[in-house]
Amino acid sequence: GGTGGTGGAPSVHDLFASRPDRERLGSFFDYLKPGERPGAPSVVLDPQVRAMSADTAVGYRVRDETNDRVLDASDVRAVMISEHGCLDRLLEPDWCANAYRWTVWTQSCVARAFPDAADAIRAPAVIARILYRYEREILRAERPWVRRVLERDTPAKAPAVLCVAAVRSNGRSNGRARLELTDGWYGVDAALDAQLTALLRRGHPGLQIGAKVLVQGAELRGGDEPVPPLSKAAKDVHLALHFNGVRPARWDAKLGARRRRVAVPLRTLRPDGGACAFAVVYVERVYPGTWIETDKATGARTRRGDRAEALARDRWERARDAEVERIKIEGGAWGVGSREVVSEEDARGMLRAKGFLERDVRRATRLRVSGVRKLAPGARSVAGPTGAALLTAYDLPDDLIATMTEGSVFAVNDLTCARAFADGSLELATTRATRWIPLTRAALAKARLAPMPTPRVTLADSGQLGGPTLPPGAEFDAVGYLIHASAPTPANAPRSQWAFLAISSSNYSSSDLLAVEIDARTPETFVSADDWGAGRGWDERAMGGTIGTIGTFTPPGPPLALRNLTYVAHDVANGLKVARATELTDVTCLTGTNGPRSPRLGAAREALDAWIRRVDARALVDRVRRLTGSNPGGSNGGSADTHTEDVPTGRVSVGAFGCDGWSLSQAKMAEDAAMATLARKREEAEALRAAGLDDDDDTAGE
């Protein structure tokens, strides 16, 4: 009874009759996987059914034992018209043949997998399934996923569960395997990328015939116009599948479109595996923001920190105001006077020609993130790696940035994968389609997800450097007093500088100094140690008569909190721990209300203050003098404002350490020889260059 949705055609199937009591396929078969259910052996099936493929299904003839007949696709169409009320004008032969093919194949798969489901391949069951399709697709105009994608009404990147119907090529001839996938209604060709092709060749069960896969982030290639799924033109288009967008699906998963995207585990992403459709990330570190300006004329990109961006913006605004004044004067103050009036359009053209109409600047926020994992039953913490990545986000609003604290969790969509680093982490970047959804700990607990972040180490003792928790290449935080800062080099466009800091140590007799190399990729991103807020260090003018007084010494400058330093090496001969400060490093002067904001920093400062009262401050200063050849305060007869030092280019004379002294080149040689994992920082710079954010182009004048 009733009518369908096409010209008053009668309904042939009650779609909702079985819905209240309908079970999932897995539940119906007691959650036994195919082949696990006991019963009669599958040899009782027709040999054609046991050998059935998606290609041979269309030629199979189903048996109708009630009427003692066998039916092929055309016979089933005739039965649907004569016995079930389907309209001849709506039931096209091509549509019926396609529906027959996929119904027979899927029903034969069920019959092979579960011996007591042999009736699934009989005529009544097959006809009932095709009537269901007729009701939904023809009468109710509910198009399946493959058809909507081919007709360009649903983007190919939308998530869907598809079934592998056939392997057309294993990729040995052209390096790319090809499959035929189906949503149960229509088939579509699919080309696999190199990673998926390799999995197919290795016999991965998730890509074998009959396996179901979750596909998201696919691309439709081969044409730009909509094509009907049964037309000849449909054979020329295919889905391009990428490793990061394909995941195995449950054997009883419902085929077709998914309502929402599924999060991809961060640990499974590959740099050459395409985009990541959706991921859940745990924020481990928030790095200082950077600003990327693109020159509209040359396309050159310049990266700057917050301070450099403020200066660049101020220079540009002053230059633009001067140009506007010049245009006003040449145009008779916009028409006042005897000169020709300059129209607003002409004025905008003049400003645009000189680059003063607007600046092309983007803000980049960089985060060190890790993934989450499913908790095992009864477990309180996850086991195994969760993956790690350096995530760069562009043009985020201030209110969102304020919520990106260390320990926060977000669901993020549409990420690009640039490359992998030496330590296995990835370089990820957002796109214009990326959206951030904050997740609470309660939401994670409800989904039984938990992070396993890398412990953040705040240095309380220099002895930790080089140990199991802080190997070369590891990031760490520290609290220390600046003793001396060398002159930035090169003088006209500084990119490098060395700073020597006193940090606490459990070894009071031969305490280690921390030598930090400020290593900037460009002068625009260089931040001098002079701008840290602690002056140039402990010269004799600042220390006065207190220098060398053990137990009563008060440091002349405030302590510094240095975040995101990278440990490089231990210079045993000179008693130095060497670290590097990059554009990811943040330095805060701990004065007044700007004191330690975390218990770790507070504990590190307490340890530092306790240590500094027990050491000979003059001995620390003298050690730095011998190492650098510097003469702070003009103690050798020079003026207080002029002194020389051998860092970074000279070599000091033989001193108390019985060698030629210590120089930058020696530290770099030690680093390059022993610190393989430190290559990650250099690779991060290469990743930015690969992403089109390079600002090291000498021809651009940067």
Side-chain angles (χ1 to χ4, degrees):
T3 59
T6 305
S11 177
V12 299
H13 193 287
D14 186 355
L15 300 180
F16 305 98
S18 61
R19 182 153 299 183
D21 301 322
R22 186 175 182 180
E23 295 183 75
R24 287 179 60 99
L25 190 61
S27 174
F28 181 80
F29 288 111
D30 299 325
Y31 296 103
L32 295 173
K33 294 182 180 179
E36 295 180 347
R37 186 173 180 83
S42 59
V43 293
V44 302
L45 291 175
D46 186 328
Q48 286 183 284
V49 174
R50 288 190 284 111
M52 183 88 64
S53 70
D55 295 328
T56 61
V58 70
Y60 181 73
R61 305 179 73 183
V62 295
R63 179 173 297 278
D64 182 3
E65 295 179 347
T66 303
N67 297 302
D68 193 22
R69 58 183 176 178
V70 290
L71 308 173
D72 60 14
S74 60
D75 297 329
V76 168
R77 178 177 182 273
V79 170
M80 292 173 63
I81 295 173
S82 62
E83 299 181 14
H84 296 279
C86 296
L87 299 184
D88 180 77
R89 60 182 175 85
L90 300 179
L91 196 58
E92 297 181 358
D94 287 345
W95 182 93
C96 195
N98 176 75
Y100 181 86
R101 172 199 181 193
W102 292 115
T103 300
V104 167
W105 182 65
T106 55
Q107 294 293 93
S108 67
C109 291
V110 174
R112 288 197 300 262
F114 302 100
D116 54 357
D119 289 344
I121 196 61
R122 304 284 164 74
V126 171
I127 293 174
R129 296 305 301 168
I130 300 178
L131 289 173
Y132 173 83
R133 294 166 178 259
Y134 174 85
E135 180 74 28
R136 289 196 61 182
E137 186 178 2
I138 295 180
L139 299 187
R140 297 177 182 266
E142 297 177 6
R143 294 174 297 165
W145 187 85
V146 169
R147 179 176 174 180
R148 293 200 309 269
V149 168
L150 294 178
E151 293 177 347
R152 304 283 178 171
D153 290 325
T154 290
K157 68 177 183 179
V161 175
L162 304 177
C163 182
V164 180
V167 177
R168 300 304 182 193
S169 169
N170 61 11
R172 296 190 184 279
S173 59
N174 57 8
R176 294 291 186 270
R178 296 184 75 92
L179 309 177
E180 183 178 11
L181 301 179
T182 179
D183 59 358
W185 299 65
Y186 294 98
V188 61
D189 287 341
L192 308 185
D193 68 1
Q195 297 265 14
L196 291 174
T197 298
L199 285 181
L200 178 67
R201 290 178 182 175
R202 292 199 297 266
H204 193 284
L207 294 175
Q208 300 303 306
I209 295 176
K212 294 180 180 179
V213 291
L214 170 68
V215 174
Q216 47 190 3
E219 302 174 66
L220 186 63
R221 297 178 180 174
D224 298 325
E225 297 298 323
V227 294
L230 300 180
S231 65
K232 292 183 179 179
K235 300 183 182 300
D236 298 328
V237 300
H238 68 274
L239 291 176
L241 303 185
H242 310 287
F243 180 88
N244 294 336
V246 178
R247 289 292 177 273
R250 287 173 54 97
W251 70 270
D252 61 339
K254 182 180 178 181
L255 292 177
R258 294 289 298 259
R259 293 185 177 180
R260 57 181 63 89
R261 282 177 282 201
V262 177
V264 179
L266 206 62
R267 66 185 182 278
T268 65
L269 295 179
R270 299 292 183 270
D272 54 351
C276 172
F278 195 64
V280 177
V281 298
Y282 176 91
V283 179
E284 293 192 0
R285 288 180 180 260
V286 181
Y287 295 115
T290 57
W291 300 81
I292 305 169
E293 181 176 9
T294 303
D295 189 309
K296 293 181 179 294
T298 64
R301 291 180 173 88
T302 303
R303 296 172 58 85
R304 301 186 180 94
D306 289 335
R307 177 174 172 271
E309 168 59 20
L311 294 175
R313 182 170 57 250
D314 181 66
R315 288 194 302 267
W316 182 85
E317 289 176 349
R318 285 189 279 107
R320 180 196 58 188
D321 293 343
E323 181 66 16
V324 169
E325 289 298 322
R326 186 190 67 80
I327 294 175
K328 286 183 179 180
I329 294 173
E330 291 184 357
W334 307 100
V336 178
S338 59
R339 299 183 180 181
E340 182 180 355
V341 176
V342 176
S343 67
E344 180 179 352
E345 182 178 353
D346 291 340
R348 291 175 65 87
M350 295 178 185
L351 293 175
R352 184 182 296 107
K354 294 193 174 183
F356 290 129
L357 186 61
E358 61 180 357
R359 297 176 70 215
D360 185 358
V361 180
R362 303 183 69 187
R363 176 167 62 178
T365 303
R366 281 175 291 182
L367 312 169
R368 176 71 62 186
V369 300
S370 58
V372 296
R373 292 190 74 144
K374 212 57 161 168
L375 283 171
R380 295 186 177 182
S381 60
V382 298
T386 60
L390 178 66
L391 174 57
T392 303
Y394 299 99
D395 303 325
L396 297 179
D398 292 335
D399 56 348
L400 178 58
I401 293 177
T403 65
M404 290 181 173
T405 57
E406 295 175 3
S408 56
V409 183
F410 293 89
V412 193
N413 64 282
D414 293 301
L415 300 175
T416 61
C417 300
R419 61 175 299 173
F421 299 124
D423 62 356
S425 61
L426 290 175
E427 166 76 10
L428 303 178
T430 60
T431 65
R432 296 188 182 275
T434 301
R435 298 294 180 268
W436 297 75
I437 303 174
L439 301 178
T440 63
R441 291 301 178 93
L444 288 180
K446 184 177 181 180
R448 296 198 56 77
L449 296 174
M452 192 176 68
T454 303
R456 187 183 185 98
V457 179
T458 299
L459 192 64
D461 191 317
S462 64
Q464 295 174 259
L465 291 175
T469 59
L470 281 175
E475 286 185 337
F476 68 97
D477 303 337
V479 176
Y481 286 102
L482 178 64
I483 296 180
H484 174 71
S486 68
T489 58
N492 58 340
R495 296 176 56 167
S496 179
Q497 185 182 21
W498 282 80
F500 295 84
L501 297 99
I503 57 176
S504 64
S505 173
S506 58
N507 189 347
Y508 302 122
S509 59
S510 59
S511 57
D512 289 331
L513 292 171
L514 181 65
V516 178
E517 179 192 12
I518 303 174
D519 182 21
R521 297 177 63 229
T522 66
E524 295 281 358
T525 58
F526 176 76
V527 178
S528 172
D530 302 345
D531 299 324
W532 288 353
R536 294 295 297 272
W538 295 356
D539 60 23
E540 290 194 355
R541 292 170 298 162
M543 298 185 65
T546 63
I547 187 169
T549 305
I550 299 177
T552 61
F553 168 64
T554 301
L560 300 171
L562 301 94
R563 293 162 56 88
N564 311 322
L565 293 173
T566 302
Y567 177 54
V568 175
H570 183 193
D571 183 353
V572 179
N574 292 315
L576 290 173
K577 296 293 180 68
V578 184
R580 172 173 293 157
T582 67
E583 58 189 32
L584 302 179
T585 302
D586 180 53
V587 182
T588 304
C589 188
L590 301 179
T591 58
T593 58
N594 199 30
R597 299 182 181 180
S598 72
R600 293 191 304 269
L601 287 178
R605 179 171 181 178
E606 291 177 4
L608 174 65
D609 290 339
W611 173 81
I612 208 71
R613 290 191 294 267
R614 297 173 178 153
V615 299
D616 188 338
R618 178 177 291 280
L620 291 175
V621 176
D622 288 344
R623 285 178 61 198
V624 174
R625 287 176 181 169
R626 289 194 298 269
L627 291 169
T628 63
S630 62
N631 184 25
S635 59
N636 289 341
S639 66
D641 296 328
T642 60
H643 66 273
T644 61
E645 59 183 358
D646 290 332
V647 175
T649 57
R651 294 168 66 92
V652 300
S653 59
V654 176
F657 296 97
C659 60
D660 286 345
W662 182 84
S663 66
L664 295 185
S665 59
Q666 288 173 300
K668 283 185 174 293
M669 289 174 61
E671 168 193 350
D672 294 339
M675 315 310 159
T677 57
L678 187 64
R680 188 186 71 192
K681 291 302 176 183
R682 293 301 185 190
E683 292 181 359
E684 290 175 357
E686 295 297 329
L688 293 174
R689 182 177 295 110
L693 302 178
D694 179 33
D695 54 6
D696 282 341
D697 188 355
D698 294 334
T699 62
E702 298 177 9

